[in-house]
Every structure is written in C-alpha cells, then in structure tokens.
Amino acid sequence: MQNKKIILGVSGGIASYKACDLASLLVKDNYKVQTILTDSAQKFISALTFKTITYNDCYTNQFDYDIVEPLHIEMCREADLLVLAPATANLIAKMANGIADDLLTTLICAYSSKKPILLAPAMNTAMWENPIVQANLKTITENLNCTIINPIEGQLACRTEGIGKLAEVENIYKQAVSLLSKNSSNLQLPILPEGEWSGLKVLITAGGTKEPIDPVRFLGNRSSGKMGLALADEAYKKGADIILITTQKALKRNYKIIEVETAHELQKAVESYFDTCQILIMSAAVSDFRPLQVFASKVKKSRSESDWYLPLTKNPDILETLGRLKKENQILIGFAAESDNLIQNARKKLENKKLDLIVANQVDNTEIGFGSDYNEVYLLTQKDNSEEIILPKNTKTQIAFQILEFVQDKFLKC
Ligand code: CTP
C-alpha cells in the first residue's frame, strides 16, 4: 500500500488530456494524487475528469478552499512529489521567474526547493527550441530539485513534425515512481543532484579522437561527442558522480570534465579513473590507427610524389584491455559504430571485449548517429544472450535516458 502523495499540475496544451492517463497509472499504483488545473488546462480538460480518476479533489481556484491554512501551503506540506505534465512554455517561464499568479504557480513558488519536482514539457518545436525557454529550464534545474523529462519528436498538433510532444506517459510514470522510491523529502539542494544513482561513480568517454599528422592536419572521425555528453548529463541528473573524458572543448557542466585529443591521452585518462568507477561508458569513437610518424612542421604539397603515403600504426584497444581487467562489481558499456551487419558485428564486440552491454548504432545514416542530434540504437547484453532491444529514433537526450533506465533495470536492481 503506497501512502505517498503526488500533486499533479496540469497546464494548458493539447497534451493536457494525457495527464489523465498519467493520473490513472499513479492511482492504480495506490499513490494519492491531487490535481491542479490552470485556467488554460480547463479549456482542454475538466476538473471532473480528474476528480473521477483520482477519487480526490481537483483544484482550479486559489481561493476555493474550506481549510484553515491557504490551500497551496497545505498541499505543499503534504506532498512527496510535484509532477508538472504537461508543462507549457508559459508555466516554465513563470516557474523560472518566481511568478505566482494562480493556484499552480503559487504552489510551485511555495514548494520546497529540496523536494522533488518532475517536469514534462510539451509545446511546439519552435517554442521548445526558443533560447529563452531553454534558459528558463536551465534556471529551474539549477535552483530546484527538478528532473526534466524532455519532450519527444513526432507529429505535433500544429501539423508539423519535430520535437515537442509530451514524453510517453509510461516514461513519465516510471520516472515519478523512481523519484518517489527514495526518501525524497530529505533531499538536499542539488549541487550534485540526489537521485537513484547517487553514490555511483560513472566514467564516460565522448567524441572522436584526433591523431596528429603534422601541426595542421590530423586523422579523425565524424563523432561529435553529443551522445556521450547526453549520457553524462542524464547520469548526472540521476545523481551519479560523473567524470566525462571528451574531445569536446570548453563544455560548462557541474561535473568533472577532462579534455583529451588523441587515443593515447584518452587511454591515460580512462585508466587513471577506471579503478574507482562502477560504470564505464565508452561512447568515444577512438581512432584505431595513428600516423607512425608525426611531422614537426607542416608537410608541403611540393613534397616529392614518391613520399605521398602515410604509414600508420595501431592504437591500443582501450575497452578490450579494460574488459580483461574489469572487477566483479564493474559494469562495462561499449558502443559499436557499424555500417554493415550491425547486430552481428556488435555482438562480436560485446563478446570479444567482455562487455556487459553494447549500444549498437548504424553510422552511415546521416539522420541519426554521428553529428546528429538524434540517434536510433540497439542494446545487446551478454546476460541470457537475449534478443537485442531497439530504442527507436529519438533525441540523443531521450536515447541517453532510455539507455540509463535499461542499465538500471538490468544491472543495478537486486
Ligand atoms: N574502442 C576502444 N579503443 C579503440 C577502439 C574502440 O576503446 N582503439 C571502444 C569504443 O569506444 C567503443 C568500442 O570500443 O566503445 C567499439 O568501437 P568501434 O569503433 O565500434 O569498433 P572497433 O573495436 O574499433 O572495431 P572496428 O573499427 O573494426 O569496427
């Protein structure tokens, strides 16, 4: 029997009706759900619907109560989790700026910055990509104990395709349950956000290594580092202690970042932190070869044609080495970048490198993978040699979230 209390704040957008399914899932799980609808939400859905689904009051008016304390104060005191789904750009803006001009925003303002909030935005793509909306979200995550479950890509009500659809209700529900499974009332303000992964040390590599030929040129690959960065951001949101080793420059994050360029530098950095980490995610595209010789000065095109070849030597396979050194309690996750026979080649790498999980992606599709903001991947594990699982095309942030949820379910649960 659950006795945890959830406030479900619904703002007005076409996705408002999906909050009914969310309320229903939570009630079936025996959570006590109290709903607040904004004025705009009531244009899409009625208070009676929520009252019926939750067997509980649904509030729409700040002054409509018959208790001694103001309604928003009483509700805040009792709540274990505040879920805002869907959250419109307007609600997000008010929240980021401390505006309190109706019941929901007043309650958000009065809600403790230590208690957990789950925010599920939904809006038109241009609104989602608006830098002001993004800046508001950043303010919220920096100041409140708020987990954002990003919108997904799809056909929007405004008859366009893009990111902005409310995340799957099932995923919002799972995230809410996992936030509630902690004693969330005791959470501290998130310098390192508390979460399901708090105490876990996660080492992540990202980007594509560059192997110098001369002071101007290098051997490289098309990896942008976005997937690894998304994994680091999502693991950080779960409360993990992150070290990101990346070829990207000047990233600003609240976790430790080590900038590297070559495979050799990456290897040195990974090996110096590997012993103390519980999870290693090697999403970096490591160059398999490097020029045998690095020229001290720029190679001129006037060079004799007989010298126009570039002898290469092999770089060490970092992950394969670590697969052999790995301890019982360590989880090793690799990526497989393939242009052909995706699943067979990924499974070979999974076995040869003694990995717990491999994330396979097709790299010859320009709409996903290298450089893109989207990805579509398959997850393969050694355990029970089961079928691969597909994570269909989605933003890298969402794919990262799903990979970590999978890791959590498969390896971190007793
Ligand atoms: N990897 C590594 N060291 C290397 C090459 C790859 O640690 N020298 C890691 C990558 O970070 C990735 C995994 O091994 O997690 C698979 O990398 P990938 O480039 O797909 O495959 P390779 O093992 O390099 O094999 P091939 O290039 O022949 O497909």
Side-chain angles (χ1 to χ4, degrees), residues 322-343:
L322 297 177
R324 279 185 264 117
L325 300 176
K326 152 182 140 77
K327 287 175 269 177
E328 265 294 293
N329 61 349
Q330 286 182 307
I331 300 165
L332 239 60
I333 302 169
F335 271 66
E338 307 293 342
S339 55
D340 311 290
N341 300 328
L342 179 65
I343 302 299

Side-chain angles (χ1 to χ4, degrees), residues 202-206 225 228-229 232-233 242-246 248 251 253 255-259 283:
V202 181
L203 183 57
I204 300 176
T205 67
L229 181 62
D233 285 347
I242 307 292
I243 299 175
L244 175 67
I245 301 170
T246 180
Q248 290 168 289
L251 290 172
R253 290 295 191 277
Y255 48 78
K256 188 177 174 72
I257 296 182
I258 300 168
E259 288 181 10
S283 74

Side-chain angles (χ1 to χ4, degrees), residues 266-299:
L266 191 130
Q267 178 185 27
K268 238 176 96 191
V270 173
E271 287 180 357
S272 58
Y273 290 101
F274 180 64
D275 263 358
T276 54
C277 79
Q278 277 100 7
I279 302 180
L280 168 65
I281 308 180
M282 280 287 290
S283 74
V286 186
S287 176
D288 291 320
F289 307 96
R290 66 177 186 278
L292 186 60
Q293 175 194 2
V294 180
F295 294 89
S297 39
K298 188 183 172 198
V299 179

Side-chain angles (χ1 to χ4, degrees), residues 190-229:
I191 298 301
L192 177 74
E194 284 283 342
E196 304 145 300
W197 288 33
S198 62
L200 272 185
K201 282 203 165 36
V202 181
L203 183 57
I204 300 176
T205 67
T209 62
K210 290 178 178 170
E211 309 298 325
I213 297 171
D214 66 15
V216 183
R217 306 174 179 101
F218 59 83
L219 275 184
N221 60 66
R222 295 181 198 277
S223 169
S224 61
K226 288 178 185 171
M227 191 65 236
L229 181 62

Side-chain angles (χ1 to χ4, degrees), residues 21-94:
D21 287 341
L22 178 61
S24 170
L25 285 173
L26 292 166
V27 169
K28 276 188 194 139
D29 224 359
N30 290 323
Y31 291 104
K32 192 161 185 259
V33 179
Q34 277 188 316
T35 316
I36 299 177
L37 300 185
T38 63
D39 284 351
S40 335
Q42 289 174 75
K43 308 256 188 247
F44 293 92
I45 193 92
S46 88
L48 182 63
T49 319
F50 285 97
K51 215 171 161 177
T52 313
I53 291 173
T54 62
Y55 315 107
N56 209 341
D57 289 325
C58 171
Y59 298 101
T60 54
N61 186 331
Q62 190 168 0
F63 307 105
D64 181 14
Y65 59 90
D66 52 12
I67 45 178
V68 184
E69 257 186 320
L71 182 57
H72 58 284
I73 304 290
E74 159 95 10
M75 287 178 83
C76 281
R77 190 194 323 285
E78 301 263 300
D80 294 291
L81 174 69
L82 170 61
V83 179
L84 302 167
T88 58
N90 184 46
L91 182 71
I92 290 166
K94 287 183 181 176

Side-chain angles (χ1 to χ4, degrees), residues 282 284 286 288 316-319 334-337 349 353:
M282 280 287 290
V286 186
D288 291 320
D317 191 319
I318 305 166
L319 197 51
F335 271 66
K349 287 178 192 174
K353 301 191 192 212

Side-chain angles (χ1 to χ4, degrees), residues 316-370:
D317 191 319
I318 305 166
L319 197 51
E320 190 178 82
T321 312
L322 297 177
R324 279 185 264 117
L325 300 176
K326 152 182 140 77
K327 287 175 269 177
E328 265 294 293
N329 61 349
Q330 286 182 307
I331 300 165
L332 239 60
I333 302 169
F335 271 66
E338 307 293 342
S339 55
D340 311 290
N341 300 328
L342 179 65
I343 302 299
Q344 283 132 289
N345 284 335
R347 196 164 284 287
K348 265 190 221 152
K349 287 178 192 174
L350 174 76
E351 279 154 24
N352 293 345
K353 301 191 192 212
K354 302 189 172 29
L355 307 177
D356 298 286
L357 167 68
I358 196 151
V359 181
N361 64 330
Q362 193 82 27
V363 286
D364 54 353
N365 178 348
T366 50
E367 286 180 20
I368 52 168
F370 280 176

